[in-house]
Amino acid sequence: MVKLRLKRCGRKQRAVYRIVAIDVRSRREGKDLKKVGFYDPMTNQTYLNVPAILYFLEKGAQPTGTVQNLLKKAQVFKELPSNK
């Protein structure tokens, strides 16, 4: 199973996070399938690769709670086609 979750980068006391698609069995710093975004909590700056995120969501990837909040704030779920 694939998840969209945060991967910690940056230095001590100054964390920045990459939003990655990663296998659920991998550790936090493990090998990711694809980097799909970036989040800096200090400056509240976010960059999202929306086509890649939509691709993984359509394939069944589950976002973690924090990533889901970031995606809602960026209104990515409105671009996801609903099931009919």
Side-chain angles (χ1 to χ4, degrees), residues 21-84:
I22 193 167
D23 186 42
V24 77
R25 295 168 291 188
S26 297
R27 59 196 182 104
R28 182 186 71 181
E29 306 302 327
K31 178 113 172 97
D32 50 63
L33 300 173
K34 184 166 178 126
K35 296 175 184 76
V36 295
F38 172 83
Y39 172 58
D40 185 357
M42 299 291 225
T43 61
N44 205 13
Q45 190 176 25
T46 307
Y47 165 76
L48 300 172
N49 184 351
V50 177
I53 291 171
L54 292 176
Y55 170 79
F56 281 108
L57 289 174
E58 287 170 358
K59 296 294 182 186
Q62 297 294 315
T64 60
T66 307
V67 172
Q68 189 168 9
N69 290 341
L70 291 171
L71 296 178
K72 278 183 189 174
K73 196 180 289 186
Q75 300 177 348
V76 171
F77 291 116
K78 289 185 179 180
E79 299 177 28
L80 190 66
S82 60
N83 294 336
K84 292 183 180 180

